[in-house]
Amino acid sequence: MPIIIELDVMLARRKMRSKELAERIGITEQNVSLLKSGKVKGVRFDTLEKICEVLDCQPGDILIYEKPET
Amino acid sequence: MIHHVTSTRSRRLQRIQLGARLMKWAVSACVPVLIILTALLVLSVLFPQVAALTGEQTISIGDSERAFADLSLVQRSALTILALCMFTLSFGALWTLRSLCLQFQALEFFSARSLKTVVSLGTWLICCALFEFASDPLASLIVTLDYPAGERIIDVTVDGGEIFSMSLGALLLLFGWIMSEAALLAEENRQII
């Protein structure tokens, strides 16, 4: 998929562990792991809102569009 | 707002669980009743001397009736087989309904198992309706088999019960297929975080 979730990069920048993020946004660690690996079909706006709030960033810092190679 | 939605959903799920539990008990109570009634019917047909005790002494053919005692052993055995077939189908439908209630009680709505059970229940009900429809002419033929040629009767009737079973069975089959679509949506929803 051309949309890439760069959550791990932002977590590293904020020096935050997945477990802490999961606890603070109220989702399971397994779901954070799925988000990090991009193995999801979508992200709800309220989840994205909480991630941005906790990591103090913009949606564009986490979601990146990469043009597929033709 | 989110809390309100969650509590409404939780109340809805509790209602489903309660309904499923009540239905499971009701169906479980019907199973021994069905077994006892079938046993009494079989005893009455096979042993006419017992029929006086059970109250089932005659069988209706069209507008007339015939006593079990007047039938030969072969005729009574054939009637018993018909009764046992109907029992098997009814028992199958009841037991499948019970399994479905158990799965709904466990809040298992869109699992492969519950979808299979809904389709299976629909199939059992359709089979019941078809057998009920076929059993009337068969029973009348068996009962009048010892009559002279030309006096034998084939009684074909369609009553509300058969139409109801058939409609309900078809509806459940349809629900099973619709629920398969709902299960796909539920699976997709699980992949959205």
Side-chain angles (χ1 to χ4, degrees):
Chain A
M1 197 152 71
I3 300 287
I4 293 162
I5 305 175
E6 287 205 323
L7 190 60
D8 44 354
V9 176
M10 195 49 74
L11 279 170
R13 275 190 202 156
R14 299 290 184 257
K15 294 186 177 61
M16 194 184 282
R17 285 172 175 269
S18 300
K19 194 180 174 186
E20 190 189 341
L21 179 73
E23 279 167 5
R24 288 179 66 178
I25 64 175
I27 62 171
T28 61
E29 215 181 324
Q30 191 193 0
N31 278 347
V32 172
S33 171
L34 286 170
L35 272 175
K36 277 165 66 180
S37 60
K39 287 177 185 166
V40 289
K41 283 213 168 167
V43 185
R44 287 197 183 86
F45 277 144
D46 61 339
T47 312
L48 192 60
E49 184 189 321
K50 284 176 197 160
I51 292 172
C52 290
E53 192 186 319
V54 170
L55 295 177
D56 189 25
C57 63
Q58 292 298 314
D61 298 330
I62 302 165
L63 302 173
I64 288 157
Y65 173 73
E66 214 168 65
K67 227 175 196 171
E69 287 173 23
T70 48
Chain B
M1 178 70 183
I2 290 172
H3 175 72
H4 173 71
V5 172
T6 314
S7 66
T8 310
R9 182 163 190 258
S10 145
R11 269 205 305 273
R12 211 165 47 225
L13 291 178
Q14 275 176 354
R15 203 165 50 218
I16 292 173
Q17 268 183 322
L18 180 70
R21 193 179 300 133
L22 288 175
M23 268 195 76
K24 188 193 75 188
W25 287 342
V27 172
S28 301
C30 284
V31 171
V33 173
L34 178 73
I35 293 172
I36 291 166
L37 286 178
T38 310
L40 285 176
L41 181 66
V42 167
L43 280 174
S44 305
V45 176
L46 277 182
F47 309 103
Q49 60 272 31
V50 186
L53 300 171
T54 62
E56 287 280 346
Q57 298 178 56
T58 58
I59 182 167
S60 306
I61 332 143
D63 298 329
S64 58
E65 282 192 342
R66 199 163 177 206
F68 290 132
D70 297 342
L71 302 173
S72 69
L73 183 64
V74 177
Q75 284 171 306
R76 281 184 277 133
S77 304
L79 283 178
T80 305
I81 291 168
L82 275 186
L84 288 176
C85 286
M86 195 59 223
F87 165 75
T88 309
L89 290 170
S90 307
F91 184 81
L94 277 179
W95 202 252
T96 314
L97 180 59
R98 191 182 174 277
S99 308
L100 189 66
C101 291
L102 265 173
Q103 285 155 19
F104 284 169
Q105 196 185 325
L107 301 179
E108 213 182 288
F109 306 126
F110 300 121
S111 69
R113 197 165 66 127
S114 55
L115 297 180
K116 206 174 147 192
T117 315
V118 172
V119 172
S120 170
L121 180 58
T123 313
W124 277 112
L125 285 173
I126 289 176
C127 288
C128 277
L130 289 176
F131 185 79
E132 238 179 285
F133 177 71
S135 67
D136 279 348
L138 272 174
S140 58
L141 185 67
I142 292 166
V143 169
T144 57
L145 208 59
D146 55 341
Y147 283 5
E151 282 181 37
R152 289 173 195 143
I153 301 168
I154 295 181
D155 178 29
V156 182
T157 48
V158 180
D159 63 26
E162 289 153 15
I163 295 169
F164 180 74
S165 293
M166 183 65 99
S167 312
L168 194 63
L171 196 67
L172 278 167
L173 270 183
L174 198 65
F175 272 149
W177 294 328
I178 291 169
M179 276 174 76
S180 304
E181 289 303 309
L184 281 177
L185 288 177
E187 179 55 37
E188 203 172 282
N189 198 37
R190 267 194 291 273
Q191 290 179 37
I192 297 174
I193 294 166

